[in-house]
Amino acid sequence: MKRITKATLARVNAEQPASLYQALFAKLLKRCQLVAPKHRFSFKGKLYLLDATVINLCLAAFP
C-alpha cells in the first residue's frame, strides 16, 4: 500500500471545486434524513467553525 503525504493530500484538496463539497454535504444530509426522518438538523448551543486558512496566515505573520 502506497502512503500519501500530507502535502499531496492538501494540494489535491485545495484544487477541488467548492461545488464538490456542497454536493457531498447534500448527499450526506439526505442519507441522515432517510435514517432519522423526524430528527431536525439543528444545534441547541452556539456552533463555532474554524477555517484552517487562518492557521497558515498566523504562522506567516507570527513565526
Side-chain angles (χ1 to χ4, degrees), residues 2-58:
K2 185 178 177 182
R3 292 187 178 213
I4 299 172
T5 65
K6 290 180 184 179
T8 300
L9 187 59
R11 181 182 45 78
V12 170
N13 283 338
E15 294 173 357
Q16 300 303 320
S19 59
L20 171 73
Y21 298 105
Q22 290 171 336
L24 178 61
F25 175 79
K27 211 172 205 186
L28 289 172
L29 179 60
K30 185 175 182 179
R31 182 181 288 181
C32 290
Q33 289 171 335
L34 289 173
V35 173
K38 293 183 180 181
H39 182 74
R40 303 273 306 156
F41 185 75
S42 64
F43 297 94
K44 293 181 182 178
K46 291 183 179 180
L47 177 65
Y48 297 96
L49 299 174
L50 174 64
D51 182 356
T53 57
V54 298
I55 295 170
N56 288 336
L57 175 63
C58 290

